[in-house]
Amino acid sequence: MITKTLKVHDIHCSSCENTIQSALSTKPGVIHVVASAERNDVRVSFDDAAIGEAELRELLKELGYEPLP
Protein backbone atom coordinates (compact mmCIF):
# COMPACT_ATOMS: atom_id res chain seq x y z
CA MET A 1 0.00 0.00 0.00
CA ILE A 2 1.18 3.50 -0.87
CA THR A 3 -0.13 6.75 0.56
CA LYS A 4 0.36 9.93 -1.47
CA THR A 5 -0.70 13.50 -0.91
CA LEU A 6 -1.46 15.16 -4.22
CA LYS A 7 -1.69 18.94 -4.37
CA VAL A 8 -4.77 19.82 -6.42
CA HIS A 9 -5.84 23.18 -7.81
CA ASP A 10 -9.47 24.33 -7.47
CA ILE A 11 -10.84 22.34 -4.52
CA HIS A 12 -13.16 25.04 -3.16
CA CYS A 13 -15.76 23.46 -0.91
CA SER A 14 -17.16 20.36 0.74
CA SER A 15 -19.01 19.48 -2.46
CA CYS A 16 -15.67 19.36 -4.29
CA GLU A 17 -14.26 17.18 -1.50
CA ASN A 18 -17.23 14.80 -1.72
CA THR A 19 -17.04 14.60 -5.52
CA ILE A 20 -13.37 13.63 -5.43
CA GLN A 21 -13.74 11.19 -2.55
CA SER A 22 -16.75 9.47 -4.09
CA ALA A 23 -15.20 9.11 -7.54
CA LEU A 24 -11.77 7.89 -6.45
CA SER A 25 -13.00 5.54 -3.72
CA THR A 26 -14.93 3.46 -6.28
CA LYS A 27 -11.79 2.66 -8.29
CA PRO A 28 -10.24 -0.79 -7.80
CA GLY A 29 -7.10 -0.54 -5.72
CA VAL A 30 -8.04 2.69 -3.92
CA ILE A 31 -8.18 1.99 -0.20
CA HIS A 32 -8.83 5.41 1.37
CA VAL A 33 -9.31 8.97 0.07
CA VAL A 34 -9.52 12.30 1.89
CA ALA A 35 -9.83 15.51 -0.10
CA SER A 36 -9.30 18.83 1.65
CA ALA A 37 -10.44 22.22 0.36
CA GLU A 38 -8.56 23.87 3.22
CA ARG A 39 -5.21 22.36 2.18
CA ASN A 40 -6.00 22.00 -1.56
CA ASP A 41 -4.88 18.40 -1.55
CA VAL A 42 -6.03 14.83 -1.86
CA ARG A 43 -4.52 12.18 0.39
CA VAL A 44 -5.00 8.76 -1.15
CA SER A 45 -3.94 5.30 -0.03
CA PHE A 46 -3.84 2.74 -2.82
CA ASP A 47 -2.51 -0.62 -3.92
CA ASP A 48 0.03 0.26 -6.58
CA ALA A 49 -0.34 -3.18 -8.15
CA ALA A 50 -3.95 -2.28 -9.03
CA ILE A 51 -3.80 1.46 -9.76
CA GLY A 52 -0.95 3.92 -10.21
CA GLU A 53 -0.41 7.54 -9.31
CA ALA A 54 -0.64 8.55 -12.98
CA GLU A 55 -4.11 6.98 -13.20
CA LEU A 56 -5.21 8.82 -10.07
CA ARG A 57 -3.96 12.11 -11.50
CA GLU A 58 -5.84 11.42 -14.75
CA LEU A 59 -9.04 10.68 -12.83
CA LEU A 60 -8.72 14.01 -11.02
CA LYS A 61 -8.30 15.79 -14.36
CA GLU A 62 -11.41 14.04 -15.71
CA LEU A 63 -13.33 15.37 -12.70
CA GLY A 64 -12.14 18.90 -13.49
CA TYR A 65 -9.44 19.23 -10.82
CA GLU A 66 -5.88 19.93 -11.90
CA PRO A 67 -3.25 18.02 -9.90
CA LEU A 68 -0.06 20.02 -9.46
CA PRO A 69 3.38 18.49 -10.12
Side-chain angles (χ1 to χ4, degrees):
M1 179 177 79
I2 293 178
T3 300
K4 290 275 187 173
T5 301
L6 306 173
K7 285 299 211 185
V8 180
H9 190 65
D10 292 337
I11 302 176
H12 296 291
C13 61
S14 61
S15 180
C16 295
E17 293 171 343
N18 291 335
T19 296
I20 292 168
Q21 290 170 180
S22 295
L24 268 60
S25 66
T26 62
K27 299 300 176 185
V30 174
I31 299 161
H32 186 72
V33 181
V34 177
S36 172
E38 183 178 327
R39 293 186 313 269
N40 282 316
D41 68 20
V42 177
R43 184 174 171 94
V44 58
S45 299
F46 59 97
D47 175 358
D48 63 330
I51 191 166
E53 183 178 341
E55 291 172 88
L56 294 169
R57 289 178 175 278
E58 188 58 37
L59 289 167
L60 287 167
K61 285 182 187 178
E62 290 172 9
L63 292 170
Y65 301 97
E66 188 65 36
L68 303 173

